[in-house]
Amino acid sequence: MTDELLASGGARQPKREVVVGVSGASGLIYAVDLLAALKSAGVRSSLVVSAGAKLVAPTELPEGPKQLKALADVDYKDSDLGAPIASGSHLTVGMVIAPCSASTLAKVAQGHADTLITRAAHVTLKERRPLVLVLREAPYSRPMLVNMLAAHDAGATVLPAAPGFYHNPTDIGELIAGVTSRALDLLGVANDHAPRWRSVAE
Ligand SMILES: Cc1cc2nc3c(=O)[nH]c(=O)nc-3n(C[C@H](O)[C@H](O)[C@H](O)COP(=O)(O)O)c2cc1C
C-alpha cells in the first residue's frame, strides 16, 4: 500500500489534494502561508507558479520561488499543460489562486486555458469543485469588476486579499492568516488557522 493510501486510512482514495496557483500579483506571502497551512493540515499541495509571479518573487520573497516550492508536495511548470492537474480525472478537493492577478482573473472568468494555472482553474470549475481567487489589486477597474462577477457566476469564489481586523492582529502573519484561513474554509480544509468571530458578549 502506498504512503498516500496509508495516510488516508487505507481507503481506496488518494490523499486529499489542493492545487495552489500563484500568479503575478503582489502578495506572494499569501501563497507561502497557504502552502504551510495545507502541510499542517495534512493536505497535499500541487503548486504552479506563473511567469508573472516569478517576476514579482524577488521583491517579496527573500529566497524567491524556491521558498514556495520547498513547501509544496509537487510543483509543475505553468507551461506544462500535460500535468495531472490539467485533467478532471485527477481528483482534487479544489484550487486556490493566491495571489490572483487581474490578468489571471480575466482568463479564468472568460474560460481561457492556455497556461497550467488557467487550465487547472477551468478544470476545477467544470468539475464543480471549489475555486478560490485571492485577488490583489487596488483600486478595481471596470474590467476587473465585470470579470469578478463572471468568475463568481461561473462558480468561483472571489476572496479579496483584504484582511479583517476583528481578531486584533498584532503582526503581518496574523493579518495574512485572516485571509488564508477563509480560503481554507472555502476549500473545506478543517483549520484553526485564525481566530473565529465570537459574539461580542462572549
Ligand atoms: C512587482 C510587480 C507587482 C505586481 N503587482 C500586481 C498586483 O498586485 N495585481 C495585479 O493584478 N497585477 C500585478 N502585477 C502585474 C502582473 O504581474 C502582470 O499583469 C502579469 O502579466 C500577470 O500575469 P499572470 O497572471 O500570468 O501571473 C505586478 C507586476 C509586478 C512586476
Side-chain angles (χ1 to χ4, degrees):
M1 194 180 291
T2 65
D3 286 350
E4 288 179 11
L5 284 173
L6 281 170
S8 64
R12 284 275 148 209
Q13 57 185 28
K15 190 174 173 187
R16 283 156 54 83
E17 174 182 329
V18 167
V19 180
V20 179
V22 182
S23 67
S26 184
L28 298 181
I29 193 169
Y30 286 105
V32 172
D33 191 56
L34 265 170
L35 288 164
L38 288 169
K39 198 176 265 305
S40 300
V43 176
R44 191 179 155 79
S45 58
S46 288
L47 171 72
V48 193
V49 179
S50 77
K54 286 179 183 161
L55 283 179
V56 178
T59 64
E60 300 191 356
L61 299 180
E63 296 162 40
K66 271 192 299 184
Q67 204 171 328
L68 298 168
K69 292 181 184 179
L71 288 165
D73 287 282
V74 60
D75 69 276
Y76 301 104
K77 290 190 173 139
D78 201 19
S79 57
D80 184 3
L81 288 166
I85 56 173
S87 168
S89 64
H90 181 78
L91 290 177
T92 71
V93 298
M95 177 172 183
V96 54
I97 304 181
C100 182
S101 73
S103 174
T104 290
L105 165 71
K107 288 186 175 187
V108 171
Q110 302 303 324
H112 285 261
D114 60 347
T115 61
L116 184 56
I117 290 179
T118 53
R119 170 62 190 167
H122 185 70
V123 164
T124 304
L125 290 177
K126 83 180 175 69
E127 299 296 332
R128 299 185 185 276
R129 299 172 189 155
L131 172 65
V132 183
L133 307 177
V134 181
L135 275 195
R136 215 313 307 175
E137 185 57 288
Y140 298 139
S141 64
R142 188 175 198 283
M144 268 195 96
L145 291 164
V146 169
N147 287 331
M148 277 192 248
L149 184 59
H152 170 88
D153 287 349
T157 300
V158 176
L159 175 64
F165 291 84
Y166 56 83
H167 60 303
N168 295 311
T170 56
D171 59 32
I172 289 179
E174 289 177 7
L175 274 175
I176 299 300
V179 172
T180 53
S181 61
R182 300 309 314 278
L184 295 169
D185 288 348
L186 290 160
L187 290 161
V189 175
N191 72 92
D192 290 316
H193 197 50
R196 295 182 185 278
W197 170 250
R198 294 158 72 94
S199 148
V200 279
E202 284 182 58

mmCIF file of all heavy atoms in Angstrom, residues 53-96:
data_model
loop_
_atom_site.group_PDB
_atom_site.id
_atom_site.type_symbol
_atom_site.label_atom_id
_atom_site.label_comp_id
_atom_site.label_asym_id
_atom_site.label_seq_id
_atom_site.Cartn_x
_atom_site.Cartn_y
_atom_site.Cartn_z
ATOM 1 N N ALA A 53 4.485 35.700 -11.578
ATOM 2 C CA ALA A 53 4.826 35.548 -10.158
ATOM 3 C C ALA A 53 6.337 35.468 -9.972
ATOM 4 O O ALA A 53 6.878 35.953 -8.975
ATOM 5 C CB ALA A 53 4.151 34.301 -9.585
ATOM 6 N N LYS A 54 7.007 34.857 -10.955
ATOM 7 C CA LYS A 54 8.479 34.769 -10.855
ATOM 8 C C LYS A 54 9.119 36.147 -10.972
ATOM 9 O O LYS A 54 10.196 36.380 -10.437
ATOM 10 C CB LYS A 54 9.013 33.825 -11.927
ATOM 11 C CG LYS A 54 8.725 32.373 -11.585
ATOM 12 C CD LYS A 54 9.229 31.416 -12.638
ATOM 13 C CE LYS A 54 8.830 29.990 -12.245
ATOM 14 N NZ LYS A 54 8.871 29.064 -13.355
ATOM 15 N N LEU A 55 8.434 37.072 -11.669
ATOM 16 C CA LEU A 55 8.943 38.453 -11.752
ATOM 17 C C LEU A 55 8.732 39.194 -10.431
ATOM 18 O O LEU A 55 9.545 40.018 -10.030
ATOM 19 C CB LEU A 55 8.198 39.225 -12.862
ATOM 20 C CG LEU A 55 8.602 38.952 -14.302
ATOM 21 C CD1 LEU A 55 7.740 39.784 -15.245
ATOM 22 C CD2 LEU A 55 10.081 39.294 -14.518
ATOM 23 N N VAL A 56 7.633 38.898 -9.779
ATOM 24 C CA VAL A 56 7.310 39.576 -8.511
ATOM 25 C C VAL A 56 8.145 39.004 -7.355
ATOM 26 O O VAL A 56 8.534 39.727 -6.434
ATOM 27 C CB VAL A 56 5.799 39.439 -8.191
ATOM 28 C CG1 VAL A 56 5.464 40.090 -6.853
ATOM 29 C CG2 VAL A 56 4.944 40.048 -9.302
ATOM 30 N N ALA A 57 8.437 37.708 -7.432
ATOM 31 C CA ALA A 57 9.052 36.989 -6.294
ATOM 32 C C ALA A 57 10.289 37.663 -5.693
ATOM 33 O O ALA A 57 10.360 37.797 -4.459
ATOM 34 C CB ALA A 57 9.362 35.548 -6.696
ATOM 35 N N PRO A 58 11.251 38.122 -6.516
ATOM 36 C CA PRO A 58 12.463 38.678 -5.891
ATOM 37 C C PRO A 58 12.174 39.884 -4.991
ATOM 38 O O PRO A 58 12.936 40.147 -4.055
ATOM 39 C CB PRO A 58 13.323 39.096 -7.085
ATOM 40 C CG PRO A 58 12.792 38.339 -8.248
ATOM 41 C CD PRO A 58 11.336 38.101 -7.974
ATOM 42 N N THR A 59 11.078 40.606 -5.262
ATOM 43 C CA THR A 59 10.774 41.787 -4.448
ATOM 44 C C THR A 59 10.052 41.417 -3.152
ATOM 45 O O THR A 59 9.991 42.231 -2.231
ATOM 46 C CB THR A 59 9.891 42.796 -5.218
ATOM 47 O OG1 THR A 59 8.630 42.185 -5.502
ATOM 48 C CG2 THR A 59 10.537 43.244 -6.507
ATOM 49 N N GLU A 60 9.496 40.196 -3.072
ATOM 50 C CA GLU A 60 8.661 39.865 -1.907
ATOM 51 C C GLU A 60 9.121 38.644 -1.121
ATOM 52 O O GLU A 60 8.753 38.492 0.044
ATOM 53 C CB GLU A 60 7.197 39.676 -2.356
ATOM 54 C CG GLU A 60 6.638 40.932 -2.995
ATOM 55 C CD GLU A 60 5.131 40.886 -3.200
ATOM 56 O OE1 GLU A 60 4.509 39.855 -2.926
ATOM 57 O OE2 GLU A 60 4.595 41.914 -3.648
ATOM 58 N N LEU A 61 9.851 37.753 -1.772
ATOM 59 C CA LEU A 61 10.281 36.533 -1.072
ATOM 60 C C LEU A 61 11.805 36.511 -1.016
ATOM 61 O O LEU A 61 12.458 36.486 -2.060
ATOM 62 C CB LEU A 61 9.777 35.279 -1.812
ATOM 63 C CG LEU A 61 8.266 35.115 -1.949
ATOM 64 C CD1 LEU A 61 7.948 33.836 -2.711
ATOM 65 C CD2 LEU A 61 7.585 35.117 -0.594
ATOM 66 N N PRO A 62 12.381 36.507 0.197
ATOM 67 C CA PRO A 62 13.838 36.539 0.313
ATOM 68 C C PRO A 62 14.516 35.445 -0.517
ATOM 69 O O PRO A 62 15.565 35.661 -1.093
ATOM 70 C CB PRO A 62 14.087 36.336 1.807
ATOM 71 C CG PRO A 62 12.805 36.711 2.475
ATOM 72 C CD PRO A 62 11.700 36.498 1.491
ATOM 73 N N GLU A 63 13.903 34.261 -0.574
ATOM 74 C CA GLU A 63 14.536 33.148 -1.304
ATOM 75 C C GLU A 63 13.936 32.943 -2.685
ATOM 76 O O GLU A 63 14.213 31.936 -3.351
ATOM 77 C CB GLU A 63 14.395 31.858 -0.499
ATOM 78 C CG GLU A 63 15.122 31.890 0.833
ATOM 79 C CD GLU A 63 14.600 30.812 1.770
ATOM 80 O OE1 GLU A 63 14.322 29.696 1.323
ATOM 81 O OE2 GLU A 63 14.433 31.121 2.970
ATOM 82 N N GLY A 64 13.064 33.880 -3.149
ATOM 83 C CA GLY A 64 12.451 33.732 -4.469
ATOM 84 C C GLY A 64 11.475 32.560 -4.511
ATOM 85 O O GLY A 64 11.051 32.055 -3.462
ATOM 86 N N PRO A 65 11.134 32.075 -5.735
ATOM 87 C CA PRO A 65 10.143 30.997 -5.872
ATOM 88 C C PRO A 65 10.531 29.713 -5.159
ATOM 89 O O PRO A 65 9.673 28.884 -4.852
ATOM 90 C CB PRO A 65 10.069 30.777 -7.389
ATOM 91 C CG PRO A 65 10.594 32.030 -7.998
ATOM 92 C CD PRO A 65 11.583 32.598 -7.031
ATOM 93 N N LYS A 66 11.831 29.534 -4.885
ATOM 94 C CA LYS A 66 12.279 28.318 -4.159
ATOM 95 C C LYS A 66 11.549 28.175 -2.833
ATOM 96 O O LYS A 66 11.284 27.079 -2.352
ATOM 97 C CB LYS A 66 13.783 28.424 -3.864
ATOM 98 C CG LYS A 66 14.679 27.870 -4.939
ATOM 99 C CD LYS A 66 16.116 27.737 -4.448
ATOM 100 C CE LYS A 66 16.680 29.083 -4.042
ATOM 101 N NZ LYS A 66 18.089 29.057 -3.642
ATOM 102 N N GLN A 67 11.234 29.348 -2.236
ATOM 103 C CA GLN A 67 10.549 29.364 -0.937
ATOM 104 C C GLN A 67 9.175 28.701 -1.042
ATOM 105 O O GLN A 67 8.722 28.039 -0.113
ATOM 106 C CB GLN A 67 10.397 30.820 -0.503
ATOM 107 C CG GLN A 67 10.246 31.029 0.977
ATOM 108 C CD GLN A 67 10.333 32.497 1.340
ATOM 109 O OE1 GLN A 67 11.037 33.282 0.695
ATOM 110 N NE2 GLN A 67 9.606 32.898 2.365
ATOM 111 N N LEU A 68 8.521 28.897 -2.193
ATOM 112 C CA LEU A 68 7.210 28.276 -2.419
ATOM 113 C C LEU A 68 7.371 26.786 -2.687
ATOM 114 O O LEU A 68 6.665 25.947 -2.111
ATOM 115 C CB LEU A 68 6.509 28.947 -3.611
ATOM 116 C CG LEU A 68 6.207 30.438 -3.448
ATOM 117 C CD1 LEU A 68 5.793 31.046 -4.776
ATOM 118 C CD2 LEU A 68 5.097 30.634 -2.416
ATOM 119 N N LYS A 69 8.313 26.467 -3.564
ATOM 120 C CA LYS A 69 8.488 25.062 -3.962
ATOM 121 C C LYS A 69 8.856 24.190 -2.764
ATOM 122 O O LYS A 69 8.454 23.028 -2.684
ATOM 123 C CB LYS A 69 9.551 24.957 -5.048
ATOM 124 C CG LYS A 69 9.086 25.579 -6.359
ATOM 125 C CD LYS A 69 10.123 25.464 -7.452
ATOM 126 C CE LYS A 69 9.609 26.208 -8.692
ATOM 127 N NZ LYS A 69 10.548 26.178 -9.804
ATOM 128 N N ALA A 70 9.613 24.766 -1.814
ATOM 129 C CA ALA A 70 10.039 23.990 -0.644
ATOM 130 C C ALA A 70 8.853 23.561 0.210
ATOM 131 O O ALA A 70 8.926 22.580 0.950
ATOM 132 C CB ALA A 70 11.014 24.812 0.184
ATOM 133 N N LEU A 71 7.752 24.288 0.113
ATOM 134 C CA LEU A 71 6.579 23.986 0.947
ATOM 135 C C LEU A 71 5.571 23.072 0.240
ATOM 136 O O LEU A 71 4.653 22.553 0.876
ATOM 137 C CB LEU A 71 5.877 25.294 1.336
ATOM 138 C CG LEU A 71 6.611 26.168 2.352
ATOM 139 C CD1 LEU A 71 6.012 27.565 2.369
ATOM 140 C CD2 LEU A 71 6.536 25.529 3.738
ATOM 141 N N ALA A 72 5.716 22.927 -1.089
ATOM 142 C CA ALA A 72 4.723 22.160 -1.857
ATOM 143 C C ALA A 72 5.101 20.688 -1.923
ATOM 144 O O ALA A 72 6.275 20.333 -1.831
ATOM 145 C CB ALA A 72 4.623 22.743 -3.264
ATOM 146 N N ASP A 73 4.106 19.832 -2.106
ATOM 147 C CA ASP A 73 4.400 18.411 -2.290
ATOM 148 C C ASP A 73 4.928 18.153 -3.684
ATOM 149 O O ASP A 73 5.782 17.299 -3.894
ATOM 150 C CB ASP A 73 3.122 17.590 -2.040
ATOM 151 C CG ASP A 73 2.794 17.566 -0.566
ATOM 152 O OD1 ASP A 73 3.437 16.796 0.163
ATOM 153 O OD2 ASP A 73 1.938 18.353 -0.138
ATOM 154 N N VAL A 74 4.357 18.876 -4.658
ATOM 155 C CA VAL A 74 4.812 18.723 -6.039
ATOM 156 C C VAL A 74 4.632 20.074 -6.713
ATOM 157 O O VAL A 74 3.738 20.843 -6.344
ATOM 158 C CB VAL A 74 4.014 17.587 -6.748
ATOM 159 C CG1 VAL A 74 2.539 17.880 -6.776
ATOM 160 C CG2 VAL A 74 4.512 17.353 -8.170
ATOM 161 N N ASP A 75 5.516 20.395 -7.668
ATOM 162 C CA ASP A 75 5.304 21.641 -8.408
ATOM 163 C C ASP A 75 5.444 21.385 -9.903
ATOM 164 O O ASP A 75 6.220 20.534 -10.326
ATOM 165 C CB ASP A 75 6.248 22.756 -7.924
ATOM 166 C CG ASP A 75 7.689 22.509 -8.275
ATOM 167 O OD1 ASP A 75 8.356 21.786 -7.521
ATOM 168 O OD2 ASP A 75 8.141 23.010 -9.324
ATOM 169 N N TYR A 76 4.643 22.117 -10.652
ATOM 170 C CA TYR A 76 4.622 21.971 -12.110
ATOM 171 C C TYR A 76 4.926 23.308 -12.753
ATOM 172 O O TYR A 76 4.607 24.366 -12.204
ATOM 173 C CB TYR A 76 3.228 21.522 -12.583
ATOM 174 C CG TYR A 76 2.773 20.213 -12.006
ATOM 175 C CD1 TYR A 76 1.815 20.186 -10.987
ATOM 176 C CD2 TYR A 76 3.282 19.006 -12.467
ATOM 177 C CE1 TYR A 76 1.384 18.978 -10.444
ATOM 178 C CE2 TYR A 76 2.859 17.800 -11.926
ATOM 179 C CZ TYR A 76 1.910 17.793 -10.917
ATOM 180 O OH TYR A 76 1.500 16.604 -10.390
ATOM 181 N N LYS A 77 5.493 23.256 -13.971
ATOM 182 C CA LYS A 77 5.692 24.480 -14.740
ATOM 183 C C LYS A 77 4.348 24.967 -15.256
ATOM 184 O O LYS A 77 3.481 24.151 -15.612
ATOM 185 C CB LYS A 77 6.607 24.198 -15.940
ATOM 186 C CG LYS A 77 8.028 23.928 -15.555
ATOM 187 C CD LYS A 77 8.898 23.918 -16.805
ATOM 188 C CE LYS A 77 10.345 23.827 -16.388
ATOM 189 N NZ LYS A 77 11.141 22.945 -17.211
ATOM 190 N N ASP A 78 4.195 26.291 -15.377
ATOM 191 C CA ASP A 78 2.924 26.842 -15.853
ATOM 192 C C ASP A 78 2.701 26.509 -17.334
ATOM 193 O O ASP A 78 1.580 26.599 -17.836
ATOM 194 C CB ASP A 78 2.918 28.368 -15.637
ATOM 195 C CG ASP A 78 1.515 28.949 -15.602
ATOM 196 O OD1 ASP A 78 0.544 28.175 -15.384
ATOM 197 O OD2 ASP A 78 1.366 30.166 -15.801
ATOM 198 N N SER A 79 3.771 26.104 -18.014
ATOM 199 C CA SER A 79 3.644 25.721 -19.428
ATOM 200 C C SER A 79 3.294 24.244 -19.589
ATOM 201 O O SER A 79 3.025 23.781 -20.701
ATOM 202 C CB SER A 79 4.959 26.008 -20.154
ATOM 203 O OG SER A 79 6.015 25.313 -19.508
ATOM 204 N N ASP A 80 3.273 23.485 -18.486
ATOM 205 C CA ASP A 80 3.089 22.029 -18.559
ATOM 206 C C ASP A 80 1.599 21.664 -18.641
ATOM 207 O O ASP A 80 0.988 21.229 -17.662
ATOM 208 C CB ASP A 80 3.739 21.376 -17.329
ATOM 209 C CG ASP A 80 3.671 19.862 -17.385
ATOM 210 O OD1 ASP A 80 3.177 19.311 -18.403
ATOM 211 O OD2 ASP A 80 4.102 19.219 -16.405
ATOM 212 N N LEU A 81 1.042 21.820 -19.830
ATOM 213 C CA LEU A 81 -0.397 21.562 -19.984
ATOM 214 C C LEU A 81 -0.736 20.074 -19.961
ATOM 215 O O LEU A 81 -1.917 19.702 -20.032
ATOM 216 C CB LEU A 81 -0.915 22.227 -21.267
ATOM 217 C CG LEU A 81 -0.984 23.758 -21.146
ATOM 218 C CD1 LEU A 81 -1.158 24.415 -22.512
ATOM 219 C CD2 LEU A 81 -2.112 24.174 -20.227
ATOM 220 N N GLY A 82 0.284 19.229 -19.858
ATOM 221 C CA GLY A 82 0.042 17.788 -19.746
ATOM 222 C C GLY A 82 0.122 17.293 -18.309
ATOM 223 O O GLY A 82 0.044 16.088 -18.060
ATOM 224 N N ALA A 83 0.257 18.199 -17.352
ATOM 225 C CA ALA A 83 0.349 17.792 -15.937
ATOM 226 C C ALA A 83 -0.963 17.152 -15.486
ATOM 227 O O ALA A 83 -2.030 17.440 -16.054
ATOM 228 C CB ALA A 83 0.650 19.018 -15.077
ATOM 229 N N PRO A 84 -0.917 16.286 -14.467
ATOM 230 C CA PRO A 84 -2.149 15.621 -13.998
ATOM 231 C C PRO A 84 -3.278 16.601 -13.690
ATOM 232 O O PRO A 84 -4.447 16.338 -13.993
ATOM 233 C CB PRO A 84 -1.692 14.892 -12.724
ATOM 234 C CG PRO A 84 -0.221 14.691 -12.910
ATOM 235 C CD PRO A 84 0.284 15.850 -13.727
ATOM 236 N N ILE A 85 -2.948 17.749 -13.096
ATOM 237 C CA ILE A 85 -3.993 18.694 -12.675
ATOM 238 C C ILE A 85 -4.664 19.397 -13.860
ATOM 239 O O ILE A 85 -5.623 20.144 -13.673
ATOM 240 C CB ILE A 85 -3.446 19.755 -11.687
ATOM 241 C CG1 ILE A 85 -2.254 20.503 -12.282
ATOM 242 C CG2 ILE A 85 -3.068 19.091 -10.365
ATOM 243 C CD1 ILE A 85 -1.779 21.674 -11.433
ATOM 244 N N ALA A 86 -4.193 19.116 -15.091
ATOM 245 C CA ALA A 86 -4.856 19.675 -16.280
ATOM 246 C C ALA A 86 -6.069 18.839 -16.675
ATOM 247 O O ALA A 86 -6.794 19.203 -17.612
ATOM 248 C CB ALA A 86 -3.868 19.750 -17.446
ATOM 249 N N SER A 87 -6.289 17.736 -15.967
ATOM 250 C CA SER A 87 -7.417 16.849 -16.290
ATOM 251 C C SER A 87 -8.361 16.703 -15.103
ATOM 252 O O SER A 87 -7.913 16.558 -13.958
ATOM 253 C CB SER A 87 -6.887 15.462 -16.665
ATOM 254 O OG SER A 87 -7.956 14.533 -16.711
ATOM 255 N N GLY A 88 -9.652 16.679 -15.406
ATOM 256 C CA GLY A 88 -10.654 16.488 -14.362
ATOM 257 C C GLY A 88 -10.613 15.085 -13.771
ATOM 258 O O GLY A 88 -11.151 14.855 -12.679
ATOM 259 N N SER A 89 -9.979 14.152 -14.462
ATOM 260 C CA SER A 89 -9.899 12.785 -13.928
ATOM 261 C C SER A 89 -8.934 12.705 -12.748
ATOM 262 O O SER A 89 -8.960 11.740 -11.983
ATOM 263 C CB SER A 89 -9.461 11.809 -15.028
ATOM 264 O OG SER A 89 -8.150 12.123 -15.449
ATOM 265 N N HIS A 90 -8.087 13.722 -12.613
ATOM 266 C CA HIS A 90 -7.203 13.795 -11.454
ATOM 267 C C HIS A 90 -7.999 14.419 -10.306
ATOM 268 O O HIS A 90 -8.439 15.564 -10.405
ATOM 269 C CB HIS A 90 -5.966 14.641 -11.791
ATOM 270 C CG HIS A 90 -4.991 14.742 -10.663
ATOM 271 N ND1 HIS A 90 -4.115 13.721 -10.335
ATOM 272 C CD2 HIS A 90 -4.756 15.730 -9.776
ATOM 273 C CE1 HIS A 90 -3.385 14.085 -9.304
ATOM 274 N NE2 HIS A 90 -3.761 15.295 -8.927
ATOM 275 N N LEU A 91 -8.164 13.662 -9.229
ATOM 276 C CA LEU A 91 -9.041 14.119 -8.148
ATOM 277 C C LEU A 91 -8.342 15.112 -7.227
ATOM 278 O O LEU A 91 -7.253 14.854 -6.731
ATOM 279 C CB LEU A 91 -9.522 12.924 -7.322
ATOM 280 C CG LEU A 91 -10.512 12.004 -8.029
ATOM 281 C CD1 LEU A 91 -10.862 10.820 -7.123
ATOM 282 C CD2 LEU A 91 -11.777 12.765 -8.413
ATOM 283 N N THR A 92 -8.985 16.263 -7.056
ATOM 284 C CA THR A 92 -8.507 17.238 -6.068
ATOM 285 C C THR A 92 -9.728 17.714 -5.283
ATOM 286 O O THR A 92 -10.864 17.535 -5.732
ATOM 287 C CB THR A 92 -7.841 18.469 -6.729
ATOM 288 O OG1 THR A 92 -8.852 19.253 -7.370
ATOM 289 C CG2 THR A 92 -6.779 18.064 -7.741
ATOM 290 N N VAL A 93 -9.460 18.349 -4.142
ATOM 291 C CA VAL A 93 -10.603 18.899 -3.405
ATOM 292 C C VAL A 93 -10.915 20.310 -3.888
ATOM 293 O O VAL A 93 -11.960 20.865 -3.558
ATOM 294 C CB VAL A 93 -10.400 18.903 -1.877
ATOM 295 C CG1 VAL A 93 -10.236 17.493 -1.362
ATOM 296 C CG2 VAL A 93 -9.248 19.759 -1.444
ATOM 297 N N GLY A 94 -10.021 20.891 -4.695
ATOM 298 C CA GLY A 94 -10.271 22.228 -5.230
ATOM 299 C C GLY A 94 -8.968 22.942 -5.500
ATOM 300 O O GLY A 94 -7.887 22.353 -5.441
ATOM 301 N N MET A 95 -9.121 24.224 -5.813
ATOM 302 C CA MET A 95 -7.951 25.023 -6.203
ATOM 303 C C MET A 95 -8.062 26.416 -5.613
ATOM 304 O O MET A 95 -9.149 26.977 -5.509
ATOM 305 C CB MET A 95 -7.885 25.113 -7.724
ATOM 306 C CG MET A 95 -6.758 25.981 -8.255
ATOM 307 S SD MET A 95 -6.619 25.851 -10.057
ATOM 308 C CE MET A 95 -5.178 26.889 -10.345
ATOM 309 N N VAL A 96 -6.894 26.963 -5.250
ATOM 310 C CA VAL A 96 -6.843 28.357 -4.825
ATOM 311 C C VAL A 96 -5.774 29.041 -5.669
ATOM 312 O O VAL A 96 -4.718 28.451 -5.921
ATOM 313 C CB VAL A 96 -6.562 28.468 -3.305
ATOM 314 C CG1 VAL A 96 -5.320 27.713 -2.894
ATOM 315 C CG2 VAL A 96 -6.462 29.915 -2.872
#
